[in-house]
Each structure stands twice: as structure tokens, then as C-alpha cells.
């Protein structure tokens, strides 16, 4: 039997691990309420079965084997289908310590639930039609949002902003297919030709809709994943000072990267809503000092992984061979050249810097005096939002999987145009359009394999 249709009851700790005021164990499935019935006794003696949907009830969690009170709790029951998974859900809100949560989770498992896999609640929400796949993915984007702008995009997609656009494009493609299939039933050449000409116009419209969606993909990805940024420059030029200034004033969040056993930490700086992910790998706390601490080879590698390089020069010293070798690391990468220590008397020749910077933006700053940092922020925002209307109410493609599917759909539409241009019969055009229609369906999960679904949800956190 397919795992997708399993109707067993799952349970997990849905709040973050560690100490907290409140922690939640969540159970979903046909046995959820019966389990709650066995482990919960309300103050008024009401049984879980009798508790109304969406009503919080206060009482004790009691181990039925020995009648030991494990914790006080509030139990919230959501009867199917008015729940996140569209199954019966029980939430047990207890004290947020690892031991009470673990004990209550164990109890639910003993009473017939099974441990939920990562993302399994949301997977059920998807499989039961409460969310489409793009919305389900947006759930994790909301949880992992790094800045207010990232959150806005994620919440927009969760509400179906992207899905609606993709569905409407998909509907148009389906309309074209129907039109062509009708023409196949009329074998007169002129009807076929007229239909093909009509469809070509429609394809162009749809392609331009796709193009405007895809135009959001780069910014969308950056808002979701962060702008991988590395600060480079010779020793003493002010890299650590710049990093510290950014972290002091703009620190967004620090997260452990899930699934890594090594101690990798990501730090995000919030620049006008853009999460700058300052590249930091295990062992190099002071990322800023990449070149001096890890050598040129590793620095090259970091530079090649970065979306943005901030290269520092010293206004108070002539351009040195070290500076030139750091400038050479840039090759064709996106970079801003920062001339630091502008508060000191000048020794640097601007013309020379500009020659080496190859048309890149060169900004004079003084980290010590806090000068030029607002201009730096503006420059970063300009790079990321270039050509974008901003983060208004538009749909955003913030996910590589979606961008890939949309690009491939676009390619299939281009195929259809070529097929029309070659004067091929309608059924050939239909083949291309069907391929585009399938690709579009991957975004919302209408046409996507179980393996991809599993892979997507395996990246979720436990309990979500
Ligand atoms: P790093 O080796 O590139 O990380 O450089 P640091 O950030 O450690 O800075 C080296 C020295 O330059 C420190 O003494 C800083 O206080 C000083 N410094 C950094 N930025 C400025 C600046 O804008 N003006 C002046 N005058 N000194 C600065
Ligand atoms: Zn340093």
C-alpha cells in the first residue's frame, strides 16, 4: 500500500526543543481523540470525546498505567475536517520542558500513535487537499523566514498567491489544448490554421505572464535563502570592524544549519529586509579574515560560492600588491568595492582603484565613524531589488524547484511556438502544450511524483 494513503495516527512534539513556557504535543489521525481520552482528565471530569471542537480544556495528563500525574495541560481538540491535516487533531499544551514533553509524547506512542516523520502533519494537509504543494512549502518558508521581507513573501505564497497565478496560467494552457482538440475534429485546413494562429497569440500572452513570474525568482530566492556574502581584504583593512558593525546594528538571526553534525553557524544581517548570510564555516569565527586565516585557495572557493563580495581597501594606504591579488579574486563575481578608513588622510589613488574594479561600484566608507554604511545598504538593496517593483502584493517565486518547473514550462511553450511555426498539425502542438501543462502542475503538486513529495517534506522540521 502506498504510504501516501496511510491513515495511522501520528504524534510529535511540535514546539522547539529546549526549555520554554509552553510546549505542544500534537496528535493527528483517527485515534487521536481516543488517545487523548485515555491520557487526559479535565478538571470537570469531562472526557476528551465530549470536548467540543476548537475549545481549550484545562486538566491533567495522567499515565493510565499508574495514575501518575505527568503534567498539567490544556487540551485542544480539532475535529476533522476543520483542522490543519483535515484529520482529528489533538494538541496537548503542557509545560515547555524537555522531560514533560518527552513523557507525554511517549505516552501517546504507547497508546497507539506513531512518531511523526518530519513534515508529516503538513504532508497530510497537502494529501488531504487543505494546501497545495507550493503552499505547503511556504509553511516552512514562514517558519524559516529570516527577515520581515522574507516573511511577507512566504505568507503571500502560503495564502496561495503564487499557486493562483500558476493555476490560472495552467488553465489557459488547458483552454488552448481544448481549442486545438476541437480543431482536430474539423479536418478543414483553414480551421486548423486559424486555430493555430489563435493559439500562438495565447501562448505569447502566457509566456509573458511566466516571464514576469520568473523575473521575481532571483530576488525571491535571496529573500528565502539569504544573500551569501563574503567580506574580503588584506589584514587590518577593517573587515572585522565592518562585520561587527553590521552585526551590532542589523543582526537578524543566528541559526544552526539543520542536519549538520559539525558546528556550522549561519548569521544573518538584515539589510532593508534582505537577509545577508555572512559566510561562516566551522572553525573560522572571524569570517571576515578569510584571506589571512585560511589562505588564498579557500578564499577563492568562498568567493566562488558567494552571491555578493564586499571587498575592502584602505583609503589611508597606497594600493598594494596584496590589494591587487584580492581584487583579482573577484574575477567576474558580483562585488562592491569599499574604500574604508575615509576618515584618515588619503594615500590611495582612486583612478587606480577604479581601473582594477572594472566598473564595479566603489564606495568610500569609514566603519569607525559609521560613514557610508547607509550608502552600502542602499547599494545592496539596489542589487537585489534591481528591476523589481519591490515586495508589494505580487506573487514571488522564491523556491528553486518552482523556478525550474516554470522555466521548463516556458521551454515547452517555446516548443509549441516552433511547432506552430513549422506548420505542424494540431495534435503535435497539443503534445508540447500538454508537457507545459504537466510542468506547471509540478509547482502546485498536481503532477508530481511521490518521491519528490517525500523529498520535500523530509526537509521539514519534526512536528510540522
Ligand atoms: P581586519 O584585519 O581587516 O579584520 O581589520 P580590523 O577590523 O581588525 O581593523 C583593523 C584596525 O583598523 C583596527 O584598529 C580598527 O579599529 C581600524 N579601523 C577599522 N575601520 C576603520 C576606519 O574606518 N577608520 C579608522 N581610522 N580605523 C579603522
Ligand atoms: Zn579581522
Amino acid at each position: 500500500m502506498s504510504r501516501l494513503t496511510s491513515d495511522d495516527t501520528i504524534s510529535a512534539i511540535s514546539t522547539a526543543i529546549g526549555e520554554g513556557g509552553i510546549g505542544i504535543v500534537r496528535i493527528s489521525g483517527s485515534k487521536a481523540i481516543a488517545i487523548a481520552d485515555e491520557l487526559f482528565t479535565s478538571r470537570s471530569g469531562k472526557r476528551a470525546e465530549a470536548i467540543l471542537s476548537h475549545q481549550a480544556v484545562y486538566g491533567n495528563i495522567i499515565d493510565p498505567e499508574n495514575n501518575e500525574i505527568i503534567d498539567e495541560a490544556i487540551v485542544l481538540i480539532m475535529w476533522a475536517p476543520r483542522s490543519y491535516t483535515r484529520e482529528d487533531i489533538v494538541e496537548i499544551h503542557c509545560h515547555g520542558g524537555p522531560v514533560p514533553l518527552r513523557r507525554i509524547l511517549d505516552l501517546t506512542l504507547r497508546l497507539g500513535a506513531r512518531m511523526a516523520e518530519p513534515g508529516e502533519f503538513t504532508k497530510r494537509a497537502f494529501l488531504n487537499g487543505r494546501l497545495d504543494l507550493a503552499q505547503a512549502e511556504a509553511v516552512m518558508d514562514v517558519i524559516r523566514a529570516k527577515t520581515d521581507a522574507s516573511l511577507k513573501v512566504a505568507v503571500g505564497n502560503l495564502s496561495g498567491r503564487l499557486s493562483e497565478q500558476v493555476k490560472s496560467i495552467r488553465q489557459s494552457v488547458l483552454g488552448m489544448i481544448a481549442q486545438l482538440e476541437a480543431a482536430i475534429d474539423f479536418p478543414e485546413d483553414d480551421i486548423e490554421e486559424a486555430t493555430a494562429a489563435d493559439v500562438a497569440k495565447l501562448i505569447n500572452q502566457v509566456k509573458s505572464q511566466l516571464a514576469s513570474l520568473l523575473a521575481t525568482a532571483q530576488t525571491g530566492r535571496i529573500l528565502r535563502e539569504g544573500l551569501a556574502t563574503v567580506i574580503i581584504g588584506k589584514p587590518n583593512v577593517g573587515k572585522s570592524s565592518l562585520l561587527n558593525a553590521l552585526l551590532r546594528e542589523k543582526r537578524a538571526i543566528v541559526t544552526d544549519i539543520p542536519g549538520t553534525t559539525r558546528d556550522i553557524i549561519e548569521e544573518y544581517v538584515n539589510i532593508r529586509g534582505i537577509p545577508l548570510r555572512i559566510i561562516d564555516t566551522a572553525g573560522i569565527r572571524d569570517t571576515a579574515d578569510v584571506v589571512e586565516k585560511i589562505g588564498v585557495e579557500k578564499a577563492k572557493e568562498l568567493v566562488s560560492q558567494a552571491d555578493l563580495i564586499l571587498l575592502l581597501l584602505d583609503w589611508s594606504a597606497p594600493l598594494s600588491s596584496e590589494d591587487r591579488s584580492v581584487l583579482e579574486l573577484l574575477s567576474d563575481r558580483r562585488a562592491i568595492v569599499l574604500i574604508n578608513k575615509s576618515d584618515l588622510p588619503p594615500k590611495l589613488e582612486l583612478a587606480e582603484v577604479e581601473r582594477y574594479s572594472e566598473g564595479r561600484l566603489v564606495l568610500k566608507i569609514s566603519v569607525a565613524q559609521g560613514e557610508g554604511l547607509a550608502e552600502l545598504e542602499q547599494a545592496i538593496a539596489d542589487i537585489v531589488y534591481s528591476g523589481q517593483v519591490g515586495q508589494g502584493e505580487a506573487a514571488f517565486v522564491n523556491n528553486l524547484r518552482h523556478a525550474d518547473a516554470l522555466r521548463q514550462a516556458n521551454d515547452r511553450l517555446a516548443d509549441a511556438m516552433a511547432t506552430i511555426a513549422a506548420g505542424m498539425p494540431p495534435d503535435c502542438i497539443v503534445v508540447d502544450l500538454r508537457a507545459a501543462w504537466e510542468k506547471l502542475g509540478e509547482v502546485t503538486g498536481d503532477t508530481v511524483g511521490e518521491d519528490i513529495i517525500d523529498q520535500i517534506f523530509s526537509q521539514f522540521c519534526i512536528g510540522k
Side-chain angles (χ1 to χ4, degrees):
M1 193 183 80
S2 161
R3 275 178 45 222
L4 294 185
T5 57
S6 69
D7 81 331
D8 50 353
T9 297
I10 55 173
S11 176
I13 297 169
S14 280
T15 41
I17 305 304
E19 291 177 16
I22 293 170
I24 299 175
V25 173
R26 177 158 60 169
I27 320 168
S28 177
S30 51
K31 280 188 279 187
I33 293 172
I35 291 170
D37 223 12
E38 287 200 58
L39 57 71
F40 178 70
T41 308
S42 78
R43 274 299 144 92
S44 61
K46 245 198 242 169
R47 292 171 62 85
E49 293 265 22
I51 297 172
L52 295 175
S53 191
H54 296 81
Q55 184 182 294
V57 179
Y58 172 67
N60 286 324
I61 303 298
I62 297 174
D63 185 337
E65 233 161 57
N66 52 18
N67 285 326
E68 184 194 345
I69 295 176
I70 296 177
D71 195 4
E72 297 182 353
I74 283 177
V75 163
L76 182 58
I77 291 183
M78 284 155 279
W79 295 84
R82 284 180 56 220
S83 75
Y84 185 61
T85 55
R86 295 220 162 140
E87 304 171 334
D88 287 343
I89 283 191
V90 173
E91 284 183 8
I92 301 167
H93 298 229
C94 62
H95 291 102
V99 175
L101 282 165
R102 186 76 228 176
R103 288 283 303 274
I104 293 169
L105 175 67
D106 284 347
L107 199 48
T108 65
L109 301 181
R110 209 181 336 125
L111 294 172
R114 114 174 125 66
M115 185 77 182
E117 289 167 23
E120 200 171 359
F121 291 92
T122 308
K123 186 177 177 180
R124 289 183 175 203
F126 164 65
L127 293 172
N128 293 331
R130 188 183 173 283
L131 300 165
D132 67 38
L133 197 53
Q135 288 176 303
E137 288 170 292
V139 169
M140 270 328 281
D141 296 345
V142 169
I143 290 174
R144 298 205 172 126
K146 293 162 179 58
T147 66
D148 42 2
S150 323
L151 179 62
K152 194 167 177 184
V153 167
V155 168
N157 288 350
L158 176 59
S159 75
R161 204 173 273 168
L162 174 69
S163 305
E164 277 159 28
Q165 286 222 19
V166 173
K167 279 180 188 156
S168 123
I169 293 175
R170 205 158 174 253
Q171 200 56 39
S172 311
V173 174
L174 199 60
M176 296 178 219
I177 293 173
Q179 220 178 318
L180 287 162
E181 280 174 345
I184 295 171
D185 298 334
F186 291 93
E188 292 90 4
D189 279 355
D190 49 341
I191 292 189
E192 286 192 359
E193 269 165 40
T195 308
D198 259 9
V199 166
K201 267 189 220 134
L202 294 171
I203 291 177
N204 275 329
Q205 283 172 19
V206 162
K207 278 175 71 64
S208 76
Q209 281 175 282
L210 272 180
S212 40
L213 266 186
L214 279 167
T216 67
Q218 200 188 15
T219 305
R221 183 189 68 83
I222 289 168
L223 291 177
R224 177 169 174 266
E225 293 172 13
L227 186 75
T229 304
V230 62
I231 304 173
I232 59 173
K234 69 182 169 189
N236 278 319
V237 73
K239 300 180 296 295
S240 304
S241 307
L242 175 62
L243 178 63
N244 290 335
L246 292 173
L247 289 176
R248 192 168 49 241
E249 288 177 21
K250 307 280 173 191
R251 173 176 255 134
I253 45 169
V254 182
T255 56
D256 297 318
I257 303 173
T260 52
T261 47
R262 293 182 65 199
D263 189 22
I264 296 180
I265 292 199
E266 288 188 334
E267 295 203 79
Y268 292 87
V269 173
N270 183 345
I271 302 289
R272 313 215 169 161
I274 300 156
L276 241 62
R277 177 163 61 83
I278 307 289
I279 293 179
D280 189 7
T281 42
I284 319 163
R285 264 315 291 159
D286 186 359
T287 18
D289 283 323
V290 278
V291 177
E292 64 209 69
K293 285 202 182 139
I294 63 181
V296 172
E297 278 315 304
K298 182 72 185 163
K300 261 189 192 155
E301 198 187 312
L302 284 182
V303 161
S304 73
Q305 291 165 4
D307 296 315
L308 175 68
I309 297 143
L310 300 178
L311 184 147
L312 267 68
L313 299 173
D314 186 344
W315 179 239
S316 68
L319 202 70
S320 65
S321 61
E322 267 176 308
D323 289 324
R324 281 192 287 268
S325 60
V326 178
L327 278 160
E328 273 157 21
L329 281 179
L330 295 183
S331 66
D332 60 347
R333 312 292 304 170
R334 188 157 58 188
I336 298 174
V337 176
L338 298 170
I339 302 179
N340 188 32
K341 309 197 186 182
S342 64
D343 54 296
L344 297 179
K347 292 248 175 64
L348 193 67
E349 251 193 78
L350 264 183
E352 201 184 359
V353 172
E354 269 159 11
R355 202 161 58 242
Y356 276 100
S357 322
E358 298 178 342
R360 293 188 171 86
L361 181 65
V362 178
L363 282 178
K364 257 165 71 178
I365 64 170
S366 165
V367 176
Q369 313 270 313
E371 303 257 341
L373 295 181
E375 286 79 0
L376 172 59
E377 282 181 38
Q378 187 56 48
I380 293 170
D382 287 346
I383 287 175
V384 174
Y385 291 124
S386 67
Q388 296 289 329
V389 237
Q391 326 100 281
E393 302 310 308
F396 253 84
V397 179
N398 69 341
N399 174 313
L400 210 56
R401 190 185 78 79
H402 303 163
D404 273 349
L406 294 177
R407 266 186 217 110
Q408 290 182 50
N410 195 47
D411 290 348
R412 299 293 78 79
L413 292 171
D415 292 348
M417 288 300 275
T419 306
I420 293 171
M424 308 272 275
D427 45 350
C428 296
I429 310 167
V430 166
V431 169
D432 296 329
L433 291 178
R434 279 217 178 277
W437 184 80
E438 294 254 327
K439 276 291 157 195
L440 291 166
E442 286 183 10
V443 174
T444 48
D446 292 293
T447 56
V448 82
E450 204 179 311
D451 49 336
I452 298 202
I453 291 171
D454 283 347
Q455 202 244 328
I456 288 170
F457 287 105
S458 69
Q459 292 162 11
F460 274 51
C461 42
I462 293 261
K464 188 60 236 180

